[in-house]
Amino acid sequence: MKEFWRRIFAEFSSVGIQFKIMGIIVGSILVFFAVLLWHSYHDVTDVLRNQLQQRGIAIGTTLAMHSGDLVLSENLSSLYQLVNNVREANKDVVYLFVLNTSGDVLVQTFDEGFPAEFMGKNQLLSGEPYHLQVYKTEHDTIQDVAVPIPGGTGIIRLGLTEASINAVVEEYTKHMLFWAALISMLWFAIAYFLSSILTRPVYRLLEAAGVVGQGDSRWQAPTGAKKDEIGRLGVAFGEMSKELKRREEIRQQLLRKVINAQEEERKRIALELHDQASQSLTSLIVGLKVLETQSSPETQKSIIDLKQLAAMTLAEIHNLAVELGPSSLDDLGLIAALRQYTREYSSKFGIEADFHATGLEEKRLLPMTEIALYRIVQEALTNVVRHAAATKVSVLVHPKGNSIVTIVEDDGKGFDVKEVFSSRKSEHRLGLYGMQERASIIGGVLTIESTPGVGTTIFVEVPLEEGSGVE
């Protein structure tokens, strides 16, 4: 039993607050009407039963007064006529019979003969003005009344059915149920209206909490009425939202400065690698060529190996410099830089990489937008090499209304997005968070769709508005 109520409580606790409020109000109304109907049913039944009993006593007393002489004179035909007339005049009377002092039946109204079981029932005690006895049959309840005939000459017994009481109570109950249902429906509508008023601010605050919890502090929380508790909670949440918005703006500014500083540092390092390390390696290679012509055959093989190592190092430095600060991005723009990067990516890692761009061939985006999208695609393609085990990847850039959409799709093994983002191992999601942060800095939204065994698709949509649009 405890387990049953525990389950009921758990189910009730899991539903919404509006349903709980409506349940409390409607449940209270139903309990109220149930108690009211129960009391009304019993009160009406008691009143009608008491009236029936008083009428039976009155009928029996009147009949006893008129039948005394007939019993004494043994005028049974007149007595029967009197008894039969009384029965026909009162529809509630189902039987009537008269007993003499010896207990013999003088007259009776039973159509199929007098039932013997009635003889020993409803015994009238000496000195009693009447005696009541209730009999329950298969289909009815009988109020049996015994009244003494004046002079002690006999007893009048009559039975009254409660069928009329049951009919009245049934009709009364139907009316009560009708009005109870009508009023309950009205109260249900009122409860829904009131619960909606009460819970609307709560749901809006819940929506605000969800939005802010997802990192979007730009949402302005509603305050509603400022005098009640929910209103004050809304005001407090609104202030918290403003503070989070302010902190988010500061964080975005700092992050933008950090990323700008990183890009500048990458360009500086790329320039130094190109100007200094590359020149030094080039000079080393030239010097090795000179030594190769002047050295003995024994040392020429070592010099050739050194030349190959220096050439490989020079190529790696060149690739590193390009990844750190692609000159094509500054000189030719995002589309040309991505086309060149995917081409080199395909030859370097052996993964078939397709690049498609529509409507943006001759357009330049703002530098911040171009570098952010370039780094997002670069990170996405790097993740394909590290984790996806893919054979083909596609990059698509195209305008969509007032936005630019970038899509990176692979045919790799995919992953469970929710599981990765909820994982305690931060290294599994740092790259994804980095792409999301870069997208948010330029006002964009990054969406990741992936299914294990199917592949991964990354969507980035950036509005072409002031500060991130086409120059």
Side-chain angles (χ1 to χ4, degrees), residues 147-432:
V147 179
I149 298 175
T153 58
I155 297 173
I156 301 294
R157 289 273 302 278
L158 68 153
L160 296 94
T161 177
E162 290 190 0
S164 60
I165 295 178
N166 296 333
V168 172
V169 171
E170 183 179 354
E171 190 66 23
Y172 175 79
T173 304
K174 288 180 179 179
H175 280 85
M176 288 290 292
L177 287 173
F178 170 77
W179 286 107
L182 187 64
I183 295 174
S184 297
M185 291 176 63
L186 177 62
W187 270 106
F188 183 85
I190 295 174
Y192 181 80
F193 176 73
L194 293 176
S195 63
S196 298
I197 294 177
L198 291 173
T199 57
R200 187 181 296 117
V202 177
Y203 285 135
R204 295 178 70 183
L205 287 174
L206 182 62
E207 178 186 356
V211 172
V212 174
Q214 292 176 357
D216 187 0
S217 59
R218 295 172 296 177
W219 196 87
Q220 182 63 44
T223 57
K226 297 184 178 180
K227 293 184 179 180
D228 61 7
E229 291 79 2
I230 296 178
R232 292 198 296 270
L233 178 62
V235 173
F237 194 90
E239 295 299 325
M240 183 185 71
S241 179
K242 290 179 181 178
E243 179 63 20
L244 288 175
K245 180 180 178 181
R246 186 184 66 83
R247 294 188 179 186
E248 178 63 19
E249 290 175 349
I250 294 174
R251 190 186 71 86
Q252 290 281 358
Q253 292 176 2
L254 292 175
L255 187 59
R256 190 177 292 110
K257 290 181 179 180
V258 169
I259 291 178
N260 286 336
Q262 287 179 344
E263 293 299 331
E264 292 298 325
E265 184 66 16
R266 286 179 175 181
K267 289 181 180 179
R268 186 187 65 81
I269 294 173
L271 184 61
E272 289 183 358
L273 288 174
H274 183 271
D275 292 344
Q276 297 181 13
S278 297
Q279 290 180 5
S280 298
L281 286 172
T282 302
S283 299
L284 177 60
I285 292 172
V286 172
L288 288 173
K289 285 183 178 181
V290 173
L291 286 176
E292 183 182 1
T293 58
Q294 298 176 357
S295 61
S296 62
E298 293 80 7
T299 58
Q300 285 183 358
K301 185 178 183 306
S302 299
I303 294 175
I304 292 173
D305 293 339
L306 291 174
K307 282 172 53 182
Q308 292 177 350
L309 178 61
M312 290 175 57
T313 305
L314 180 61
E316 290 178 357
I317 289 177
H318 174 73
N319 292 335
L320 181 60
V322 169
E323 290 189 2
L324 287 172
S327 58
S328 58
L329 184 62
D330 296 329
D331 299 336
L332 304 177
L334 176 66
I335 303 303
L338 288 178
R339 180 176 288 109
Q340 178 181 346
Y341 182 80
T342 53
R343 185 169 56 249
E344 294 176 354
Y345 173 90
S346 181
S347 61
K348 181 177 180 181
F349 298 106
I351 299 175
E352 183 182 350
D354 297 331
F355 178 78
H356 304 278
T358 58
L360 294 169
E361 292 294 340
E362 299 180 357
K363 295 181 179 179
R364 292 295 303 270
L365 305 178
L366 294 180
M368 191 67 180
T369 303
E370 289 191 339
I371 190 63
L373 291 176
Y374 182 87
R375 294 303 183 193
I376 290 173
V377 173
Q378 188 180 46
E379 178 66 25
L381 294 176
T382 301
N383 288 338
V384 171
V385 174
R386 292 177 178 174
H387 310 293
T391 59
K392 183 177 181 180
V393 62
S394 298
V395 180
L396 174 64
V397 182
H398 67 92
K400 179 184 176 183
N402 294 326
S403 304
I404 178 172
V405 177
T406 303
I407 303 173
V408 181
E409 183 177 13
D410 67 70
D411 62 351
K413 60 184 180 181
F415 61 95
D416 189 323
V417 178
K418 291 184 179 180
E419 181 180 349
V420 169
F421 276 98
S422 61
S423 173
R424 294 183 179 181
K425 296 181 179 181
S426 59
E427 64 269 15
H428 290 172
R429 59 181 186 271
L430 284 179
L432 302 178

